[in-house]
Structures are given as structure tokens and as C-alpha cells.
Amino acid sequence: MTLLKQALRSMWRGRKSYLACIVLMAVGIATFVSFNQLFANLTAAMESMYTGQRFADAFAAVKEIPLSAVKRLEEVPGVARVDATIVTDARILDDTTTKIVTLRIASFDPAAPQRLNDFILDEGALPTDGGILLGNGFAAANGLTVGDTLSAVLDGRKLELTVTGIVQSPEYVYVIPDASTLFPDDRTFGFAYMEASRLGTLTGKTGSATNLAFQLEEGVAFSSVQYALEDLLAPYGLRSLYDRKDQPSHAMLKTEVDSIGSMSSSLPLMFVFIAVIILYIMLKRIIEQERMQIGTLKAFGFGDRAILGHYLLYGAVTGLAGGVVGLALGLLMTDGMSSLYLEYFKLPAIRVPPNPLYLLAGLGLALASGLAGALMGTRSILRLDPAEAMRPPSPPAVHRDIVGRIPVLRAILASHGYMAMRNITRNRFRSAFVVLGMAFAFALTAFMASMGELFDDLLLSQFTKAELFNLKISLNTYVPYGEALESGYSFDGVRKAEAALELPVGLRNEHLSDAVAITGIPSDSALYKLYDSDKRAVVPLPGGGMVVSSSVAENLKLRRGDTVTVTTPYTGNREFSTTVLDVVNTNLGGAAYMQLDSLWELVELPPAVSVIVLDAENPAAIKKALTDADNVAAVMDNAETMQTYVDLLDSYMALIYMMQLCGTGVAFVIITNTASISLSERKREYATMRVLGMHPREIGRVVGFEYWVLSALSLPFGILLTRLFKESMGGMIDNDLFSMPVYTAPSSYAMAAVFCGAAVLLSNLLAGRRIGRFDMVEVLKERE
């Protein structure tokens, strides 16, 4: 009981330092709990949607295949079921916007039992007489309800489509038109369902299909049926065949869920680690200050275990307090984070009850971390015998006076500066701790400050550095190169027109394979550039070979100079070989690039293109003219797309600001707490200096100079830590769709330096006030 009372009194005296440890521990545990609970919620919602609606294992798109031929696909060993649908895009006529509004309509057979990729009917009824079932995101964004009518252009024919129901679909959990689109825009793109008989009549494809969904037998991998399906589908104009993992909606959802799962363990450890270090330093200081008391307790018969348990109590109380606060905060954060994710992922709002395992693990992590920090700081107790402990420790011997061996320092430094430099070099462990704390605070602030710039690197640089056109027209079928250019220049106000070829291919390097799109760009292109985000520069596109993105190179283990095998369904999956000329980091996922002439030559295609890009004075007029164009699959206005991304990111900014505020708050706690611990360690030293006649302001200048020097020393380590943070985070979230840039802008470093400088300045002011209030007699008597 005596030791318990002593522990509580000691913790109350140092409550500010312990509170800092509790805050850091609480942030770490809150992150652990909230991310794990969010991971459980999203995983449960995804599995519920996929299982209940029978989400397919593989997908294919063809030009057209008779329904009679679909049955033969089920004879492929490993294929359990094939569902065939018609999928086509309709242009929605909307006078309230200049944007191209597209609705992707898929057919369904109401009489078919247990359909693959079945929809969930949220409200309304199945369509009759040509009505449609509309996706819930598109309906909400455009203010549409059951009974409303849409004007649309489908295959050049104007239609009035009546909404009979609102649905969700496992194919459109993340509603994007293709994998090249990073963020959904429910205002301009959505999905819908129409009865197969009606859609077949409208498209002229009655008795045939354009899209296939495959259910594989249990335990069968896609790779084991891929080549057989390719051979069977090739005569029907195979456009793509891919595994579930490459389905755009699923790929985005799975990437996000996996990233959350990775961060749920690594991110909290960052905060817990620094809390353990601070707790270790604090208790080490307490042991040194209470050395004589420990010796007295040992002399009176208290054993090592009792004394060790006394000091472990400090860590246990700190860890438990941080754990309890962190659990409560984490559970509160989970609902808000789940709601934010459900704005982008159209999943059932499933809330999994908090898993007791996560809660116990979080509490156990906090307790274990507190005990670990305490144990590291107190293990020296066991080596003290009573006689040694009751004597003050001998001052450490100075074997090498580094400062004294540099005469120039004596010449350029005033007395307080010289004293500060000697303190730094003679107390290397303490100085290293201060540098580490400041470097961590700097890195945390710089990392959080750079989060806003992350989106500029990921998105805006694509539109300002690489895609210099303002309109991109994607075609349904390939057209001759000259005809495409002529069409591009036929519009009024076109300053520059170019044509490119986007060709879906399979790349293989030995046993490794990947499905990507090769973009063929004219060698003299002025509108389409190749931008390397690591080099932060436009790089040339050489001829005679291929340039691949870093994610493709990593997936296929490719390096510059390697040979890669190329196949494409547009040439009957014949194999071609080419050389990897370069690897670039594009941030926006897997891609490959070739000069247009080289691509035609490689796959033995005539000069044909699938994309027209324009630099035009009046994009809105051109888009209006293309509203009912038969061969136009999509029209992208770069300015509108970029603004859409910016608007969508506004909802993320609150989260980013919260993260920045949290990061800077934690950094401030680290710096001020580090300074407080250092001041407590040297209280006797400063009191002695006052007894010798130094004014508190003079001592304050010594302390201030020392901390400014240590701050300067921490900057290079802080910059290094910032990069390590980004590389670590990038390793958790990098995927085939996008990668996290490791570059940090100078403005983020400058912001971190200003903040840390302000924290050091405040710490110096507080230290000066505390030094002025020292009771010199009491301080000097502490060890007696």
C-alpha cells in the first residue's frame, strides 16, 4: 500500500508527461480499433452482397455471340454456369448540364432462376413495357424516383425510359465505367437493367449477347479455364476476358478493404512505439531521481520484485488509461468512417457488432506497451545493491571533449552557446532522444501536411502534365487513322487533333501474366505525354519497344531490357514479343505505352485507332454534336473531369484536416513532452547554475540555444522519416489501380519546420518560466 500511494503521488506530479503518453497510446489504440472494425464492416457487407447476389468468378465481353453458342461454354471443364447478357451504353439527354451523361444498360431475364450478378430491388417493381431498373447512386444524384422518365439516345434512337424500380448491383458496388476511372461520378454515369427481350429488340441483338458471366466449379482457378474460353470466344470478336479480381468495381473495393486491413496493424504501432519510448525515458529519469529512496527501501527489506512491481505500475496505469480512452474513441470513429465509405461504395449498411477479440487485443496492446516501456526503464533497479543505490551516481567521465577540439566553435559562439554545445556532446543519449522525438514530430507533421498534395500528384498532374487535350472521344470500333484525324478536324474551333490506339492485351513474362491496355501514341504527339511522377518530368516515348508502368513491372518482375510476350483478342490471341525500353511511375496503375507505328507493327494491325483527342476552343459544342453519334462510346472533357474529382475530394478534406490536426497535435505533444522530460532531468543542474550567479534569462539562453541546435540536427532525420512513412504507407495501399507517390513537396517540409519551430519556441518559453520558479534549496536537497 505504501508503494501504491507513492506511485500515485509520483504520477500526479508528472501528470503532464504521463498524459502525453496516454494521448499517444489512445491515438494508436483508437486507430487499431476503428480500422479493424471498419475492415470487419466492409468485409461483411461485401461478402453478404457477393454471396447473396451470386457475384460471378469471371467475365467476358464479345462483339456478339448467339445464345445457342453460350451453352457450349458450360462444357469447358471447370465452368459450372454461364449467364449471357446484352450490355450497351445509352446517352441521357439532360439540358441542365453540359456534361455527357451515360447510362450503362444491361439485360436480364425475369424468368431466369438464381441469376449471376443479380440485383437487389430497393424499391419499386420489375419493369414492364420497356421500363428500367435504375441504380441507386445515379437515381439519388439526379433526383430520380420510381415513376420518373428519362430521355435517352440508344443506338441512334431516341427513347423515353420509365423508372420502375431502384436497385443495387454487385457489379457496381463502385460505380465507374472502367478501370481507368479512379473516382465515381453518380451525376454523369450510372447503370440500369432492362428486360432482355426489350433490349434485344432495341439493339438488334435478339437471340444473342455481348457480355458473359462465369461461375466456376469450387476450387477451380480462372487460369485453368482461361485459354479454353479464349479459343471458344475468339470467333465471336472477343474483346476482354478477365478474372473477378480485375473486374473494375471489385478491384477498387478489394483494394480499399485490403488497405484498411494493412493499416489496422501498422499505423497504430507508430503511435504506440513513440509512447513506449517516452515512457521509457520518463521512468529512467524517475529511477535516477529516486535512486536513494530505492536504496533505502532495499535496506529495509523490500525485495526486487516488490520495487520492480511498484514501477511497472506506472506503465500499467498509463497503458490501461490510454487503452480505455482509445477503445471508446475508436468505437466512436467507426460509425463516421463507415458512413463515409458507404458514400462511395454502394453496399448494404451492415454494422458488425464490435468484436470482443479486437477490443481485448487493443487493450492488451496498450497494457503490454505500457509495461514494456516501464520494464525497459526500470530493469536497472535489479542491479543496484542498497549501499550503491544510497549514494548519488558519479558524474560520467568525459573521455572526448569534441567541442573543445574544435577551436572555431569557441571563437564564434558566445558563452551560453558554448555551454549548450558541450551539454549536447556530453549527454549523447539524452540529445539523441530529443533529436529522435523532434524528427518524429517533424515527419508526422510533414506527412500529414502532404496528404492534400497527394491528390494533386495522383490526379491533377495527369491532366496538367500528361493529358494536355481537353476532349477525349472513345470510339466503339476501330477506324482508319486518317479518317479519325479528318473527323477530329471537322469540328469548329479545333486547334489540334490527334488519334491514339487503346488496345487491351495480355502481357506475360515466363509464368507471370497481367492484363493491361497498351496506349499507342503518335511519336510527335503534342497532346498526349508520358509523365513520370517519381522524376516529376515528362519522359520521351522511344520507338521499337514498350514502356510499362511500375505496377506492371512489379507484377511481372520486368526490368529495362527484358522481353515480354504480348497477346490480344483482336488478333486471335497470337503471341508477339517486344522489349521493355523503360519503366515509369504513373501513379494511376497498370498501363503500357508504345509509339503508335510500333504498336501497329507489333500486332500486325492496319493503321487504325480507337481514340481521338482534341484541343478545342468550344468543347461543349462538340459534345452536343456527338450526343447521338453511333460510333462514340464516351466523351471525356478533361476540365469537367478534373473539377468532378476536385468536388468529390471536398468530402475527403474534412477527414484530411482531421488527420492533419491530429498529426500536428501529436507532434506538439512529443516536442513539449520531450522538452519537459529533459528539463526535469536537468533541474538540479540548472539550480546549481543559478546558485553560481546565473540569471534565469541566461540559463534560458543556454537551454534555447541547445534546443535550436538539436532541432536543426533533427531536420535531415525528419525528412528521411517522412520518406520512410510514405514508402511504408505506399507498400500498404499500392495496387494495380494506383500507387502512392513518395515525393513530398517543399511546402509540406516548410510547414512542418514552421510548426516544429513554433513548438520549440513555446517549449523554450515554458522552460524559462519554470527555471525562474525553481526553489533552489529544495531542488538541491532532492537527493538528500
Side-chain angles (χ1 to χ4, degrees):
M1 184 59 68
T2 301
L3 292 180
L4 177 61
K5 290 181 179 179
Q6 169 62 20
L8 295 176
R9 283 197 299 266
S10 179
M11 292 187 71
W12 179 251
R13 286 195 299 269
R15 56 188 177 276
K16 292 182 180 178
S17 297
Y18 286 104
L19 181 61
C21 290
I22 290 172
V23 168
L24 290 171
M25 199 78 73
V27 170
I29 300 307
T31 307
F32 174 82
V33 171
S34 61
F35 273 69
N36 273 292
Q37 191 61 35
L38 178 62
F39 176 77
N41 286 345
L42 291 179
T43 301
M46 178 176 68
E47 291 177 351
S48 172
M49 167 75 87
Y50 286 0
T51 302
Q53 308 315 120
R54 295 166 294 282
F55 188 44
D57 298 312
F59 303 82
V62 297
K63 184 176 181 180
E64 188 171 358
I65 181 172
L67 295 181
S68 57
V70 173
K71 292 297 181 183
R72 292 199 297 270
L73 299 175
E74 293 183 349
E75 298 173 4
V76 174
V79 175
R81 176 176 175 175
V82 184
D83 277 13
T85 58
I86 301 168
V87 178
T88 187
D89 286 350
R91 198 71 47 78
I92 302 301
L93 302 178
D94 187 350
D95 295 333
T96 64
T97 180
T98 61
K99 298 180 179 180
I100 298 292
V101 181
T102 303
L103 194 62
R104 183 157 294 168
I105 304 177
S107 66
F108 78 99
D109 182 359
Q114 302 290 304
R115 294 183 295 268
L116 297 182
N117 305 322
D118 200 7
F119 49 77
I120 298 174
L121 186 63
D122 288 342
E123 57 179 293
L126 295 181
T128 56
D129 299 327
I132 60 169
L133 299 172
L134 192 60
N136 56 353
F138 187 87
N142 291 279
L144 298 170
T145 59
V146 174
D148 288 345
T149 300
L150 290 171
S151 297
V153 176
L154 178 61
D155 279 2
R157 182 186 306 177
K158 291 187 178 180
L159 301 170
E160 296 296 319
L161 304 175
T162 301
V163 179
T164 67
I166 307 297
V167 297
Q168 298 181 61
S169 169
E171 288 187 274
Y172 296 99
V173 171
Y174 195 76
V175 189
I176 52 177
D178 51 56
S180 64
T181 306
L182 192 58
F183 288 103
D185 183 2
D186 290 331
R187 179 70 180 84
T188 61
F189 179 79
F191 66 93
Y193 290 93
M194 182 183 290
E195 285 185 292
S197 57
R198 173 64 173 162
L199 189 57
T201 301
L202 292 174
T203 59
K205 293 182 171 63
T206 300
S208 61
T210 61
N211 289 69
L212 304 167
F214 301 88
Q215 183 181 45
L216 305 182
E217 294 176 357
E218 188 173 352
V220 174
F222 171 71
S223 57
S224 63
V225 301
Q226 179 180 0
Y227 298 113
L229 291 176
E230 285 178 349
D231 291 339
L232 290 173
L233 292 173
Y236 304 105
L238 177 61
R239 291 177 173 173
S240 60
L241 175 65
Y242 51 90
D243 195 0
R244 175 194 284 193
K245 68 180 180 64
D246 296 318
Q247 200 266 347
S249 170
H250 173 74
M252 291 297 296
L253 176 59
K254 192 68 167 60
T255 293
E256 195 63 34
V257 171
D258 289 346
S259 297
I260 292 170
S262 298
M263 289 188 290
S264 66
S265 56
S266 54
L267 195 59
L269 291 178
M270 182 172 66
F271 295 99
V272 172
F273 172 75
I274 198 68
V276 169
I277 295 297
I278 291 177
L279 190 61
Y280 159 63
I281 297 296
M282 272 176 26
L283 289 174
K284 188 172 183 297
R285 171 182 60 84
I286 290 173
I287 295 301
E288 292 174 354
Q289 291 180 339
E290 298 182 356
R291 177 188 177 101
M292 298 180 70
Q293 296 179 29
I294 294 170
T296 303
L297 289 172
K298 283 193 170 189
F300 277 102
F302 282 88
D304 287 342
R305 289 187 178 181
I307 298 174
L308 182 62
H310 162 70
Y311 286 106
L312 288 179
L313 182 64
Y314 291 58
V317 172
T318 303
L320 282 175
V324 171
V325 173
L327 291 181
L329 183 60
L331 292 175
L332 287 175
M333 289 169 57
T334 301
D335 284 341
M337 293 173 69
S338 296
S339 299
L340 177 63
Y341 275 93
L342 290 179
E343 288 183 14
Y344 291 89
F345 296 102
K346 305 302 188 278
L347 287 166
I350 293 179
R351 294 290 190 272
V352 177
N355 190 333
L357 183 62
Y358 293 144
L359 303 182
L360 290 175
L363 198 60
L365 175 63
L367 178 60
S369 301
L371 290 174
L375 182 61
M376 288 191 300
T378 58
R379 57 185 177 179
S380 58
I381 299 174
L382 303 178
R383 294 196 296 265
L384 295 177
D385 57 60
E388 179 187 359
M390 294 178 70
R391 293 195 304 267
S394 302
V398 179
H399 299 291
R400 295 179 180 177
D401 186 2
I402 299 175
V403 174
R405 295 186 179 186
I406 307 176
V408 68
L409 291 180
R410 185 68 174 176
I412 64 175
L413 294 177
S415 59
H416 65 274
Y418 193 74
M419 291 175 63
M421 292 298 294
R422 286 197 304 177
N423 285 333
I424 291 173
T425 57
R426 293 181 179 183
N427 297 277
R428 297 172 190 172
F429 179 81
R430 183 173 62 207
S431 299
F433 168 68
V434 174
V435 168
L436 175 64
M438 290 184 174
F440 188 88
F442 176 92
L444 189 59
T445 307
F447 177 76
M448 293 300 181
S450 69
M451 291 301 291
E453 298 163 355
L454 168 65
F455 296 108
D456 287 347
D457 281 333
L458 276 176
L459 302 174
L460 302 186
S461 62
Q462 184 73 13
F463 299 107
T464 58
K465 302 291 194 306
E467 299 177 357
L468 304 181
F469 47 84
N470 52 22
L471 275 183
K472 177 181 177 181
I473 305 169
S474 299
L475 306 175
N476 285 317
T477 59
Y478 294 160
V479 299
Y481 177 74
E483 182 181 325
L485 282 183
E486 184 179 348
S487 298
Y489 278 113
S490 68
F491 298 106
D492 293 334
V494 173
R495 293 182 289 260
K496 179 73 174 175
E498 293 179 359
L501 175 61
E502 294 181 349
L503 185 68
V505 300
L507 300 182
R508 192 175 75 250
N509 179 31
E510 297 180 351
H511 65 286
L512 300 173
S513 62
D514 198 4
V516 301
I518 296 181
T519 301
I521 304 171
S523 58
D524 59 348
S525 176
L527 301 181
Y528 216 137
K529 301 292 185 181
L530 193 56
Y531 181 75
D532 191 313
S533 58
D534 275 356
K535 298 176 181 177
R536 303 190 69 77
V538 172
V539 297
L541 180 59
M546 180 185 298
V547 174
V548 298
S549 66
S550 55
S551 61
V552 172
E554 184 176 349
N555 289 342
L556 300 181
K557 308 301 180 188
L558 290 172
R559 295 180 298 177
R560 184 183 301 179
D562 287 350
T563 299
V564 62
T565 301
V566 181
T567 60
T568 174
Y570 289 89
T571 58
N573 289 308
R574 285 185 295 150
E575 293 189 350
F576 309 93
S577 295
T578 189
T579 303
V580 176
L581 301 178
D582 201 0
V583 176
V584 298
N585 193 331
T586 61
N587 288 336
L588 290 181
Y593 304 89
M594 293 184 71
Q595 286 190 6
L596 190 53
D597 292 341
S598 299
L599 181 55
W600 288 333
E601 182 180 352
L602 173 68
V603 296
E604 300 175 4
L605 282 177
V609 294
S610 61
V611 170
I612 303 171
V613 294
L614 305 176
D615 177 19
E617 294 176 356
N618 191 356
I622 297 176
K623 288 188 294 181
K624 186 175 181 180
L626 293 172
T627 298
D628 55 357
D630 291 341
N631 197 33
V632 174
V635 180
M636 185 182 76
D637 184 329
N638 269 8
E640 289 184 350
T641 302
M642 184 166 60
Q643 186 58 49
T644 298
Y645 285 164
V646 171
D647 294 341
L648 287 170
L649 291 173
D650 283 344
S651 60
Y652 272 118
M653 292 312 294
L655 179 61
I656 292 173
Y657 291 145
M658 184 182 72
M659 292 173 61
Q660 290 176 343
L661 181 63
C662 178
T664 51
V666 169
F668 179 79
V669 166
I670 292 171
I671 291 177
T672 54
N673 195 58
T674 302
S676 176
I677 292 174
S678 179
L679 181 63
S680 297
E681 284 183 319
R682 302 168 66 181
K683 187 161 58 173
R684 182 180 177 88
E685 177 184 333
Y686 294 146
T688 303
M689 293 167 70
R690 286 200 60 190
V691 170
L692 294 175
M694 291 185 68
H695 192 276
R697 283 197 297 271
E698 294 177 300
I699 303 174
R701 283 199 293 271
V702 175
V703 175
F705 189 89
E706 181 176 337
Y707 267 80
W708 287 119
V709 170
L710 293 174
S711 299
L713 292 175
S714 72
L715 289 179
F717 296 103
I719 292 173
L720 177 62
L721 274 177
T722 303
R723 186 172 182 90
L724 290 176
F725 284 172
K726 283 205 163 184
E727 288 180 349
S728 176
M729 187 68 69
M732 289 184 283
I733 70 173
D734 284 358
N735 54 77
D736 291 342
L737 299 176
F738 57 86
S739 58
M740 181 176 179
V742 297
Y743 173 82
T744 301
S747 58
S748 295
Y749 288 130
M751 184 184 298
V754 168
F755 172 80
C756 292
V760 171
L761 180 62
L762 179 60
S763 296
N764 287 339
L765 292 174
L766 294 176
R769 291 181 60 185
R770 287 184 62 184
I771 291 171
R773 294 175 180 175
F774 280 168
D775 186 327
M776 293 177 287
V777 176
E778 290 298 324
V779 171
L780 294 174
K781 286 170 58 181
E782 276 185 355
R783 294 185 181 177
E784 303 174 10

